[in-house]
Amino acid sequence: MQTANHETSGKQYMLSAIRRKRLDRIPTTVMIGPYCAGLAGYTVRDILKDAQKSAQAHLAFYERFHPDSLIVYNDIYLELEALGCELEFPEDNISYPKRALLEDKKNLAGLKIPDPRKDARLPYFLELCERVAGQVRQEASVGLGHSGPWNLAMHLRGAEQFLIDSIEAPGFVHDLMAFTTEVVKTLGDTLIDQGFTPSLGEASASCSLISPAMYQDFILPYHRELCRYFRNRKAMMSLHICGYIDPIIQEVMDCGIGFLSLDAPSSLEKAVRAAQGKVVIMGNVPTNLYADGASIDMENAVDACLQAAGGTGRYVLASGCEIPLYATQDRIAHFFAYSHRAGRKFMECFKASEGQGTG
């Protein structure tokens, strides 16, 4: 086992999970979401409109908490806006669409694949990623997220109507998924060209909202296609699905992803068994604990995650999803401080037991 020293960087810790080379503690981060805005004195609207302000907010978070990976936040409607959907931008909350762009299914024929370097706020997102990476890339990994094809399709059509379509108009659902998959490829290509890894957010692909059969019929084929596509570009695809995914966890693990961000309602133990050491798993700490949890509850959650996945060598301790907008600094700080201590203690015990097993 490789032993880290005090100069080990966050980037090295993250790479240890990808390369399955254990260091002195478990890599640790959170999905920061719009929380970072307040650390720099900005509103959520400020950081969703201005790449420089957003970068300053992200860097303020990094300077305060020093996560091993700084995960760049953007709202989930970037691609939707670039396709022509008008958004509302509340001052201190996330954006949202004024109406579904595809209220009429016939409008799909008129949609064009957006240009990530020109259309709407996609250039803002690329600039934000570059600004953040330019400041921390030597010290920490830089993660990011953009919409997966199902998420984008559901936002284009509207959640309720899209679920009805899956029953009444499955052909349209596949046509829309084929289109949104091309959108994802186009943005993914641009991110790869800039040195980043495609990382898809599929909040609405959760079994909290859809059935396992729907995932298998309408989503899995396109996830497989995207994994193959990005693999041909020498890039690993990451995936985050909010909520409960236990009934589809094996399909998710087998679709070709290299990295899965797992939300707290899902079983980390089941994910570890399904991954069989082939996929890096991140997350599973309940996000509410960062806003209103007791210290002991946070510690118990961290310990449970370490026991379930720490020994795999392919685990990143993190929040299950974005921490709440009204998370508290003391709770976030306690998460990192305790996770570092517990992660080191876990690795010491693991090394000792490993030595006993081979001695």
Side-chain angles (χ1 to χ4, degrees), residues 16-34:
S16 73
I18 295 171
R19 296 170 179 170
R20 209 173 190 180
K21 295 187 179 294
R22 298 179 177 91
L23 299 181
D24 68 323
R25 68 165 171 82
I26 304 296
T28 306
T29 190
V30 295
M31 297 172 67
I32 64 177

Side-chain angles (χ1 to χ4, degrees), residues 99-111 156-157 161 165 172:
R99 64 178 181 84
L101 194 62
L102 293 182
E103 288 181 342
D104 187 338
K105 294 198 296 287
K106 295 178 182 178
N107 291 339
L108 173 58
L111 295 185
L156 282 167
R157 182 66 168 145
Q161 185 57 58
D165 290 337
F172 169 74

Side-chain angles (χ1 to χ4, degrees), residues 59-200:
L59 295 173
F61 187 94
Y62 182 75
E63 289 302 318
R64 175 66 179 85
F65 301 110
H66 290 282
D68 293 330
S69 175
L70 187 57
I71 301 175
V72 178
Y73 165 72
N74 70 86
D75 60 310
I76 58 177
Y77 301 115
L78 276 173
E79 299 92 335
L80 192 70
E81 185 183 34
L83 286 163
C85 184
E86 189 176 359
L87 303 182
E88 289 281 2
F89 288 89
E91 184 175 34
D92 263 318
N93 212 328
I94 62 172
S95 63
Y96 61 89
K98 290 185 176 181
R99 64 178 181 84
L101 194 62
L102 293 182
E103 288 181 342
D104 187 338
K105 294 198 296 287
K106 295 178 182 178
N107 291 339
L108 173 58
L111 295 185
K112 305 295 183 184
I113 305 292
D115 184 338
R117 300 190 183 276
K118 295 180 180 179
D119 292 334
R121 286 181 303 130
L122 292 179
Y124 140 92
F125 178 54
L126 299 178
E127 179 186 347
L128 170 60
C129 293
E130 288 285 2
R131 284 180 176 272
V132 170
Q135 293 297 313
V136 306
R137 188 175 255 162
Q138 297 303 312
E139 304 171 9
S141 292
V142 177
L144 51 87
H146 52 107
S147 286
W150 181 258
N151 229 38
L152 181 53
M154 185 166 281
H155 291 148
L156 282 167
R157 182 66 168 145
E160 183 177 352
Q161 185 57 58
F162 198 49
L163 293 176
I164 294 171
D165 290 337
S166 69
I167 299 171
E168 297 182 351
F172 169 74
V173 172
H174 281 292
D175 288 344
L176 182 50
M177 285 294 290
F179 173 78
T180 56
T181 296
E182 293 305 311
V183 175
V184 174
K185 288 179 182 177
T186 301
L187 179 55
D189 278 338
T190 305
L191 290 168
I192 292 169
D193 290 342
Q194 293 193 190
F196 301 103
T197 299
S199 184
L200 277 55

Side-chain angles (χ1 to χ4, degrees), residues 6 16 48 184 204 234 279 319 354:
H6 66 284
S16 73
L48 291 179
V184 174
S204 51
K234 311 301 181 185
V279 177
S319 57
E354 191 178 52

Side-chain angles (χ1 to χ4, degrees), residues 3 36 52 61 63 106 127 133 160 163 183 192 272 278 282 287 312 315-316 323 341:
T3 301
C36 63
Q52 183 174 357
F61 187 94
E63 289 302 318
K106 295 178 182 178
E127 179 186 347
E160 183 177 352
L163 293 176
V183 175
I192 292 169
V272 168
K278 299 175 183 177
M282 181 181 88
T287 55
T312 66
Y315 176 62
V316 178
I323 61 175
R341 293 197 305 272

